[in-house]
Amino acid sequence: QVQLVESGGGLVQAGGSLRLSCAASGIIFSFNAMGWYRQAPGKQRELVATISSGGSTNYADSVKGRFTISRDNAKNMVYLQMNSLKPEDTAVYYCNAGGSRGWWGQGTQVTVSS
């Protein structure tokens, strides 16, 4: 059974930082592209960042230069370092493995106050 468990969300002031973590189990982690998505109230889920099995990264324009995705294949973990947070980054953040037809975590709330 595939499980993706996110952690690290919380409440932070604008300009602050958070680091999200996602622990994966039940998949051959190193073979899978991993990603972070987010969904704000009343909005559709959107891509934040992805990292391929080879380590290539892709970011939404809105987070480029502020967020960094990384992975540790030895630990089956993927991370999202979020710096210079803005109120518009407030959302539930979801970990994903294997793309849109893959697997999803339960989400972790990130709230950025102004």
Side-chain angles (χ1 to χ4, degrees):
Q1 182 179 356
V2 178
Q3 279 195 316
L4 301 174
V5 180
E6 302 100 334
S7 61
L11 173 64
V12 64
Q13 287 188 332
S17 298
L18 284 174
R19 187 193 195 206
L20 304 183
S21 300
C22 173
S25 61
I27 58 173
I28 304 175
F29 182 82
S30 60
F31 286 6
N32 280 273
M34 300 295 296
W36 288 96
Y37 292 72
R38 67 187 182 187
Q39 188 167 17
K43 295 187 177 181
Q44 289 189 331
R45 190 173 298 189
E46 63 176 2
L47 179 147
V48 175
T50 61
I51 184 166
S52 72
S53 57
S56 298
T57 58
N58 179 55
Y59 296 93
D61 287 344
S62 59
V63 306
K64 281 181 181 176
R66 300 188 298 124
F67 291 10
T68 303
I69 189 171
S70 62
R71 65 189 296 160
D72 185 337
N73 289 340
K75 297 181 178 179
N76 285 9
M77 297 289 293
V78 62
Y79 307 98
L80 185 69
Q81 179 66 44
M82 306 186 293
N83 298 328
S84 302
L85 282 161
K86 304 175 181 180
E88 51 263 44
D89 294 318
T90 295
V92 177
Y93 283 70
Y94 296 91
C95 180
N96 169 268
S100 59
R101 296 184 178 183
W103 303 273
W104 297 89
Q106 81 287 351
T108 186
Q109 177 71 46
V110 172
T111 303
V112 184
S113 63
S114 57

